[in-house]
Amino acid sequence: MASTDARTASGVNGPTRARIDAKTLREDRWWLAPLATFVVFTAFVVYATWRAFEGANFYAKPYLSPFYSPCLTDECARLGAADFGTPFSWWQLSPALIILIFPLGFRMTCYYYRKAYYRAFWLSPPACAVAEPHTAYSGESRFPLILQNVHRYFWYAAVVVGLILSYDALLAFRNEQGEWGHMGLGTVLMVVNVVLIWLYTLSCHSCRHITGGRLRHFSKHPVRYKAWTFVSKLNAKHANYAWYSLFSVAVVDLYIYLLATGVIDDPRFF
Ligand code: FES
């Protein structure tokens, strides 16, 4: 047992906590999950930052990268990718920088990702039953972490993003001439991606609250009860969908980059 700790009496140093010298009594490989999260998130952030700032190679007809959708600048129009017009025709930087705040904000404030990156990057705590190195803890009750509460609003933006990506996936069934009836590997990847994006969006904790929250009697709201039951089932796998959709977005973007730079050709099924 440790002697009385003179540091701030909060968290594991709180007066009601047992005094234990060991950082943890766990003997399993508890560090594996935060380490994997750290490596994958870091790789994704580096990749996404490079792609978002590149401002090129984001469209290989008929495939538009999810990092750049909706594409709203003159550069998008020049490539034939401005399906929603060019309200930012004056924008000179990468078109991705206009819209990425919405999917990025949604993921950064996601309840699951918060848990994952608090553990992996801030060690707060690194894992269950592993003492954190910090001596003070204010949770998410103060600036800046109190801003995480905007997650519910980002959910609405994420629904709009999901609809736009669904439209992009639909357009991926056209060929280079704009005729319907095309299906390449890119089409398949975009459809899989949008399905995973929807699973991630609809399994969100905020979505669960929006569908079934603040009701006194489910019996008086049968439609919302059905929706809440459906979302609750998805919600149990929210962490999985968070990872799968993160990978699928990166894979689709990389695939389009390789097509646009001429490194590969798109295999066609019909
Ligand atoms: Fe993860 Fe809402 S809780 S997206």
Side-chain angles (χ1 to χ4, degrees):
M1 301 292 266
S3 59
T4 304
D5 198 328
R7 295 176 298 177
T8 310
S10 70
V12 293
N13 301 310
T16 58
R17 302 292 285 270
R19 299 279 134 194
I20 299 171
D21 281 331
K23 189 175 171 189
T24 181
L25 300 179
R26 285 180 65 167
E27 293 180 348
D28 61 333
R29 291 190 288 172
W30 59 264
W31 44 268
L32 207 51
L35 180 64
T37 305
F38 180 86
V39 171
V40 174
F41 277 10
T42 303
F44 182 82
V45 168
V46 170
Y47 175 79
T49 304
W50 164 57
R51 285 293 286 144
F53 280 90
E54 187 186 17
N57 303 314
F58 54 83
Y59 187 60
K61 212 167 187 178
Y63 311 130
L64 174 61
S65 163
F67 286 178
Y68 284 80
S69 183
C71 208
L72 303 170
T73 69
D74 276 353
E75 174 64 2
C76 309
R78 190 185 67 75
L79 294 168
D83 295 311
F84 295 88
T86 55
F88 288 82
S89 55
W90 45 271
W91 186 265
Q92 296 299 314
L93 302 175
S94 166
L97 300 179
I98 300 170
I99 47 95
L100 265 188
I101 179 65
F102 299 107
L104 189 67
F106 185 51
R107 287 193 187 254
M108 287 298 289
T109 58
C110 163
Y111 288 74
Y112 167 69
Y113 281 125
R114 272 143 73 177
K115 171 188 148 189
Y117 68 75
Y118 287 171
R119 289 184 171 194
F121 288 82
W122 294 345
L123 310 177
S124 180
C128 286
V130 179
E132 59 183 292
H134 314 288
T135 53
Y137 177 74
S138 62
E140 294 175 329
S141 59
R142 295 194 203 144
F143 184 83
L145 293 185
I146 197 168
L147 293 179
Q148 302 278 30
N149 282 307
V150 299
H151 182 66
R152 68 200 74 170
Y153 304 111
F154 272 122
W155 183 82
Y156 293 103
V159 169
V160 176
V161 170
L163 290 171
I164 291 169
L165 294 184
S166 302
Y167 184 62
D168 289 342
L170 184 66
L171 296 184
F173 285 91
R174 298 178 311 173
N175 60 20
E176 282 93 339
Q177 289 73 43
E179 298 155 346
W180 294 98
H182 156 95
M183 183 188 270
L185 180 56
T187 314
V188 175
L189 292 176
M190 288 185 73
V191 169
V192 169
N193 178 51
V194 85
V195 168
L196 292 172
I197 293 278
W198 274 119
L199 287 171
Y200 173 60
T201 306
L202 294 178
S203 64
C204 166
H205 295 266
S206 291
C207 177
R208 189 163 176 263
H209 181 71
I210 287 163
T211 52
R214 288 195 246 157
L215 293 180
R216 275 183 188 275
H217 308 289
F218 270 135
S219 57
K220 292 187 180 161
H221 303 274
V223 175
R224 286 186 65 182
Y225 177 65
K226 276 208 168 103
W228 177 82
T229 306
F230 173 69
V231 169
S232 295
K233 279 189 189 141
L234 295 181
N235 182 256
K237 293 208 161 73
H238 186 60
N240 296 15
Y241 298 141
W243 283 103
Y244 299 156
S245 58
L246 191 78
F247 286 128
S248 70
V249 165
V251 166
V252 169
D253 176 76
L254 179 62
Y255 186 77
I256 292 170
Y257 170 82
L258 294 175
L259 286 179
T261 50
V263 175
I264 59 170
D265 288 323
D266 185 38
R268 310 243 161 142
F269 304 117
F270 56 83

PDB file of all heavy atoms in Angstrom, residues 2 5 7 12 29 50-51 68 80 145 166 180 195 231 233 240 242 261:
ATOM      1  N   ALA A   2       0.475   2.269  -0.760  1.00  0.00           N
ATOM      2  CA  ALA A   2       1.254   3.498  -0.834  1.00  0.00           C
ATOM      3  C   ALA A   2       0.926   4.391   0.350  1.00  0.00           C
ATOM      4  O   ALA A   2      -0.116   4.290   0.970  1.00  0.00           O
ATOM      5  CB  ALA A   2       0.920   4.220  -2.135  1.00  0.00           C
ATOM      6  N   ASP A   5      -1.072  10.177  -0.591  1.00  0.00           N
ATOM      7  CA  ASP A   5      -0.614  10.941  -1.751  1.00  0.00           C
ATOM      8  C   ASP A   5      -0.880  12.426  -1.525  1.00  0.00           C
ATOM      9  O   ASP A   5      -1.996  12.825  -1.208  1.00  0.00           O
ATOM     10  CB  ASP A   5      -1.365  10.457  -2.995  1.00  0.00           C
ATOM     11  CG  ASP A   5      -0.640  10.881  -4.256  1.00  0.00           C
ATOM     12  OD1 ASP A   5      -0.012  11.953  -4.245  1.00  0.00           O
ATOM     13  OD2 ASP A   5      -0.691  10.120  -5.220  1.00  0.00           O
ATOM     14  N   ARG A   7      -0.624  14.659  -3.840  1.00  0.00           N
ATOM     15  CA  ARG A   7      -1.078  15.323  -5.060  1.00  0.00           C
ATOM     16  C   ARG A   7      -2.575  15.590  -4.988  1.00  0.00           C
ATOM     17  O   ARG A   7      -3.254  15.210  -4.052  1.00  0.00           O
ATOM     18  CB  ARG A   7      -0.759  14.442  -6.264  1.00  0.00           C
ATOM     19  CG  ARG A   7       0.728  14.263  -6.463  1.00  0.00           C
ATOM     20  CD  ARG A   7       1.001  13.312  -7.583  1.00  0.00           C
ATOM     21  NE  ARG A   7       0.455  11.990  -7.275  1.00  0.00           N
ATOM     22  CZ  ARG A   7       0.494  10.968  -8.099  1.00  0.00           C
ATOM     23  NH1 ARG A   7       1.000  11.115  -9.286  1.00  0.00           N
ATOM     24  NH2 ARG A   7       0.006   9.799  -7.752  1.00  0.00           N
ATOM     25  N   VAL A  12      -7.751   8.442  -9.355  1.00  0.00           N
ATOM     26  CA  VAL A  12      -7.237   7.314  -8.568  1.00  0.00           C
ATOM     27  C   VAL A  12      -6.591   7.778  -7.262  1.00  0.00           C
ATOM     28  O   VAL A  12      -6.280   6.966  -6.401  1.00  0.00           O
ATOM     29  CB  VAL A  12      -6.212   6.489  -9.374  1.00  0.00           C
ATOM     30  CG1 VAL A  12      -6.882   5.786 -10.526  1.00  0.00           C
ATOM     31  CG2 VAL A  12      -5.070   7.360  -9.852  1.00  0.00           C
ATOM     32  N   ARG A  29      -3.109  -8.435 -21.935  1.00  0.00           N
ATOM     33  CA  ARG A  29      -2.459  -7.434 -22.793  1.00  0.00           C
ATOM     34  C   ARG A  29      -3.408  -6.248 -22.991  1.00  0.00           C
ATOM     35  O   ARG A  29      -3.856  -5.968 -24.100  1.00  0.00           O
ATOM     36  CB  ARG A  29      -2.073  -8.080 -24.120  1.00  0.00           C
ATOM     37  CG  ARG A  29      -0.941  -9.080 -23.938  1.00  0.00           C
ATOM     38  CD  ARG A  29      -0.402  -9.545 -25.265  1.00  0.00           C
ATOM     39  NE  ARG A  29      -1.343 -10.428 -25.929  1.00  0.00           N
ATOM     40  CZ  ARG A  29      -1.204 -10.864 -27.170  1.00  0.00           C
ATOM     41  NH1 ARG A  29      -0.176 -10.514 -27.880  1.00  0.00           N
ATOM     42  NH2 ARG A  29      -2.103 -11.664 -27.709  1.00  0.00           N
ATOM     43  N   TRP A  50      -3.149  14.684 -45.710  1.00  0.00           N
ATOM     44  CA  TRP A  50      -2.477  14.784 -47.020  1.00  0.00           C
ATOM     45  C   TRP A  50      -3.500  14.866 -48.137  1.00  0.00           C
ATOM     46  O   TRP A  50      -3.425  15.738 -49.007  1.00  0.00           O
ATOM     47  CB  TRP A  50      -1.558  13.569 -47.226  1.00  0.00           C
ATOM     48  CG  TRP A  50      -1.146  13.394 -48.660  1.00  0.00           C
ATOM     49  CD1 TRP A  50      -0.509  14.308 -49.447  1.00  0.00           C
ATOM     50  CD2 TRP A  50      -1.410  12.255 -49.487  1.00  0.00           C
ATOM     51  NE1 TRP A  50      -0.340  13.798 -50.720  1.00  0.00           N
ATOM     52  CE2 TRP A  50      -0.871  12.545 -50.769  1.00  0.00           C
ATOM     53  CE3 TRP A  50      -2.006  11.016 -49.269  1.00  0.00           C
ATOM     54  CZ2 TRP A  50      -0.945  11.643 -51.829  1.00  0.00           C
ATOM     55  CZ3 TRP A  50      -2.075  10.116 -50.317  1.00  0.00           C
ATOM     56  CH2 TRP A  50      -1.559  10.432 -51.583  1.00  0.00           C
ATOM     57  N   ARG A  51      -4.495  13.992 -48.124  1.00  0.00           N
ATOM     58  CA  ARG A  51      -5.478  13.956 -49.205  1.00  0.00           C
ATOM     59  C   ARG A  51      -6.361  15.208 -49.208  1.00  0.00           C
ATOM     60  O   ARG A  51      -6.695  15.726 -50.269  1.00  0.00           O
ATOM     61  CB  ARG A  51      -6.330  12.692 -49.082  1.00  0.00           C
ATOM     62  CG  ARG A  51      -5.607  11.461 -49.508  1.00  0.00           C
ATOM     63  CD  ARG A  51      -5.307  11.483 -51.005  1.00  0.00           C
ATOM     64  NE  ARG A  51      -6.527  11.244 -51.788  1.00  0.00           N
ATOM     65  CZ  ARG A  51      -6.801  11.817 -52.950  1.00  0.00           C
ATOM     66  NH1 ARG A  51      -5.973  12.683 -53.486  1.00  0.00           N
ATOM     67  NH2 ARG A  51      -7.934  11.551 -53.595  1.00  0.00           N
ATOM     68  N   TYR A  68     -14.182  14.578 -50.755  1.00  0.00           N
ATOM     69  CA  TYR A  68     -14.412  15.798 -51.532  1.00  0.00           C
ATOM     70  C   TYR A  68     -15.885  16.011 -51.889  1.00  0.00           C
ATOM     71  O   TYR A  68     -16.204  16.863 -52.707  1.00  0.00           O
ATOM     72  CB  TYR A  68     -13.584  15.750 -52.817  1.00  0.00           C
ATOM     73  CG  TYR A  68     -12.120  16.035 -52.577  1.00  0.00           C
ATOM     74  CD1 TYR A  68     -11.272  15.046 -52.087  1.00  0.00           C
ATOM     75  CD2 TYR A  68     -11.589  17.291 -52.817  1.00  0.00           C
ATOM     76  CE1 TYR A  68      -9.930  15.295 -51.852  1.00  0.00           C
ATOM     77  CE2 TYR A  68     -10.246  17.553 -52.591  1.00  0.00           C
ATOM     78  CZ  TYR A  68      -9.420  16.550 -52.106  1.00  0.00           C
ATOM     79  OH  TYR A  68      -8.101  16.820 -51.877  1.00  0.00           O
ATOM     80  N   GLY A  80     -16.115  18.096 -63.986  1.00  0.00           N
ATOM     81  CA  GLY A  80     -17.433  17.465 -64.170  1.00  0.00           C
ATOM     82  C   GLY A  80     -17.954  16.825 -62.905  1.00  0.00           C
ATOM     83  O   GLY A  80     -18.809  15.932 -62.949  1.00  0.00           O
ATOM     84  N   LEU A 145     -13.524  20.510 -23.565  1.00  0.00           N
ATOM     85  CA  LEU A 145     -14.213  19.232 -23.808  1.00  0.00           C
ATOM     86  C   LEU A 145     -15.726  19.333 -23.705  1.00  0.00           C
ATOM     87  O   LEU A 145     -16.442  18.470 -24.219  1.00  0.00           O
ATOM     88  CB  LEU A 145     -13.686  18.158 -22.845  1.00  0.00           C
ATOM     89  CG  LEU A 145     -12.223  17.749 -23.094  1.00  0.00           C
ATOM     90  CD1 LEU A 145     -11.830  16.598 -22.184  1.00  0.00           C
ATOM     91  CD2 LEU A 145     -12.013  17.355 -24.544  1.00  0.00           C
ATOM     92  N   SER A 166     -24.775   8.766 -50.722  1.00  0.00           N
ATOM     93  CA  SER A 166     -25.669   7.791 -51.365  1.00  0.00           C
ATOM     94  C   SER A 166     -25.903   8.189 -52.827  1.00  0.00           C
ATOM     95  O   SER A 166     -25.917   7.346 -53.725  1.00  0.00           O
ATOM     96  CB  SER A 166     -27.023   7.737 -50.640  1.00  0.00           C
ATOM     97  OG  SER A 166     -26.837   7.406 -49.301  1.00  0.00           O
ATOM     98  N   TRP A 180     -26.320   5.167 -67.922  1.00  0.00           N
ATOM     99  CA  TRP A 180     -26.559   4.249 -66.814  1.00  0.00           C
ATOM    100  C   TRP A 180     -26.278   2.809 -67.237  1.00  0.00           C
ATOM    101  O   TRP A 180     -26.344   2.484 -68.416  1.00  0.00           O
ATOM    102  CB  TRP A 180     -28.011   4.353 -66.325  1.00  0.00           C
ATOM    103  CG  TRP A 180     -28.302   5.685 -65.719  1.00  0.00           C
ATOM    104  CD1 TRP A 180     -28.897   6.740 -66.333  1.00  0.00           C
ATOM    105  CD2 TRP A 180     -27.990   6.115 -64.396  1.00  0.00           C
ATOM    106  NE1 TRP A 180     -28.971   7.809 -65.474  1.00  0.00           N
ATOM    107  CE2 TRP A 180     -28.426   7.451 -64.269  1.00  0.00           C
ATOM    108  CE3 TRP A 180     -27.373   5.504 -63.287  1.00  0.00           C
ATOM    109  CZ2 TRP A 180     -28.282   8.183 -63.105  1.00  0.00           C
ATOM    110  CZ3 TRP A 180     -27.231   6.229 -62.127  1.00  0.00           C
ATOM    111  CH2 TRP A 180     -27.680   7.552 -62.033  1.00  0.00           C
ATOM    112  N   VAL A 195     -23.055   2.040 -47.417  1.00  0.00           N
ATOM    113  CA  VAL A 195     -23.796   1.183 -46.480  1.00  0.00           C
ATOM    114  C   VAL A 195     -23.160   1.268 -45.092  1.00  0.00           C
ATOM    115  O   VAL A 195     -23.845   1.419 -44.069  1.00  0.00           O
ATOM    116  CB  VAL A 195     -23.828  -0.282 -46.987  1.00  0.00           C
ATOM    117  CG1 VAL A 195     -24.333  -1.221 -45.891  1.00  0.00           C
ATOM    118  CG2 VAL A 195     -24.716  -0.394 -48.224  1.00  0.00           C
ATOM    119  N   VAL A 231     -32.656   1.048 -34.042  1.00  0.00           N
ATOM    120  CA  VAL A 231     -31.410   1.785 -33.804  1.00  0.00           C
ATOM    121  C   VAL A 231     -30.640   1.159 -32.624  1.00  0.00           C
ATOM    122  O   VAL A 231     -29.414   1.078 -32.640  1.00  0.00           O
ATOM    123  CB  VAL A 231     -31.711   3.277 -33.539  1.00  0.00           C
ATOM    124  CG1 VAL A 231     -30.479   4.013 -33.027  1.00  0.00           C
ATOM    125  CG2 VAL A 231     -32.211   3.940 -34.812  1.00  0.00           C
ATOM    126  N   LYS A 233     -30.512  -1.918 -31.778  1.00  0.00           N
ATOM    127  CA  LYS A 233     -29.801  -3.129 -32.240  1.00  0.00           C
ATOM    128  C   LYS A 233     -28.515  -2.740 -32.958  1.00  0.00           C
ATOM    129  O   LYS A 233     -27.466  -3.339 -32.751  1.00  0.00           O
ATOM    130  CB  LYS A 233     -30.698  -3.920 -33.182  1.00  0.00           C
ATOM    131  CG  LYS A 233     -31.694  -4.779 -32.418  1.00  0.00           C
ATOM    132  CD  LYS A 233     -32.431  -5.713 -33.351  1.00  0.00           C
ATOM    133  CE  LYS A 233     -33.552  -6.375 -32.565  1.00  0.00           C
ATOM    134  NZ  LYS A 233     -34.776  -6.527 -33.329  1.00  0.00           N
ATOM    135  N   ASN A 240     -17.897  -1.216 -33.942  1.00  0.00           N
ATOM    136  CA  ASN A 240     -17.481  -1.931 -35.151  1.00  0.00           C
ATOM    137  C   ASN A 240     -17.725  -1.079 -36.386  1.00  0.00           C
ATOM    138  O   ASN A 240     -16.858  -0.950 -37.253  1.00  0.00           O
ATOM    139  CB  ASN A 240     -18.278  -3.233 -35.307  1.00  0.00           C
ATOM    140  CG  ASN A 240     -17.997  -4.190 -34.178  1.00  0.00           C
ATOM    141  OD1 ASN A 240     -17.452  -3.803 -33.160  1.00  0.00           O
ATOM    142  ND2 ASN A 240     -18.381  -5.436 -34.334  1.00  0.00           N
ATOM    143  N   ALA A 242     -17.913   2.061 -36.554  1.00  0.00           N
ATOM    144  CA  ALA A 242     -16.993   3.205 -36.542  1.00  0.00           C
ATOM    145  C   ALA A 242     -15.684   2.832 -37.239  1.00  0.00           C
ATOM    146  O   ALA A 242     -15.160   3.591 -38.064  1.00  0.00           O
ATOM    147  CB  ALA A 242     -16.730   3.654 -35.106  1.00  0.00           C
ATOM    148  N   THR A 261      -4.658   8.930 -60.853  1.00  0.00           N
ATOM    149  CA  THR A 261      -3.237   9.108 -61.180  1.00  0.00           C
ATOM    150  C   THR A 261      -2.762   8.089 -62.210  1.00  0.00           C
ATOM    151  O   THR A 261      -1.576   8.058 -62.558  1.00  0.00           O
ATOM    152  CB  THR A 261      -2.373   8.989 -59.904  1.00  0.00           C
ATOM    153  OG1 THR A 261      -2.729   7.791 -59.203  1.00  0.00           O
ATOM    154  CG2 THR A 261      -2.573  10.187 -58.989  1.00  0.00           C
TER     155      THR A 261
END
